Amino acid sequence: MKAAAPTPIRILGIDPGLRSTGFGVIDKAGSTLSYVASGCIKSDAAGSLPQRIKTILDGLVEIIATYGPQQAAVEIVFVNVNPQSTLLLGQARGAAISALVTADLPVAEYTALQVKQAVVGHGKAAKEQVQAMVARLLKLPGTPSPDAADALACAIAHAHGGQGMGALSTLGKRMRNGRLV
């Protein structure tokens, strides 16, 4: 008797940004990852902040409705040299998380270091290395844009680490330096 194929889990990865929010959708069936879709939600730089946030929110609501993810992973905002830029990025991230929780999706959060470690093998990887590894891991015919690659990498990190821990209980555990403690 042949074993049943594992049921795929659809994961939406998000790389938040006010100008361009990257998204990537993958399926995970057992240890196999498959590309579904990716792209960017671009907001008008000349628009007001509330209008730009609405663009991100509406775009993600449409992506969720179109692809039906079961889980989501979002990159955690890093502290920028410019505090104003950090605040704006945080608002874009808030819009993204709002879209996810409104759709009742479980949301996992990963630092850029954790994402790079999961995809490339070390946390100091360059953007080009992340793009190349995402293309390789998902067997893409070309290299995705930097924002889309970061979002796909976030989904891959979730598939490998957050999602792939299987029956390991993470209740009461926390992450330190990219490791579960």
Side-chain angles (χ1 to χ4, degrees), residues 118-142:
V119 175
V120 180
H122 63 90
K124 304 251 189 256
K127 279 221 180 255
E128 296 78 19
Q129 289 175 297
V130 173
Q131 287 174 279
M133 280 305 293
V134 164
R136 185 173 175 191
L137 289 169
L138 296 175
K139 299 175 180 71
L140 301 178

Side-chain angles (χ1 to χ4, degrees), residues 80 147 158 169:
N80 214 329
D147 292 324
H158 184 64
S169 173

Side-chain angles (χ1 to χ4, degrees), residues 76-134:
I76 295 173
V77 174
F78 62 93
V79 177
N80 214 329
V81 175
N82 180 343
Q84 183 64 24
S85 295
T86 303
L87 288 171
L88 292 172
L89 184 56
Q91 291 181 45
R93 188 171 177 278
I97 291 173
S98 294
L100 299 172
V101 298
T102 299
D104 291 324
L105 290 173
V107 179
E109 300 174 277
Y110 299 94
T111 65
L113 178 80
Q114 290 169 316
V115 171
K116 289 176 181 181
Q117 283 178 332
V119 175
V120 180
H122 63 90
K124 304 251 189 256
K127 279 221 180 255
E128 296 78 19
Q129 289 175 297
V130 173
Q131 287 174 279
M133 280 305 293
V134 164

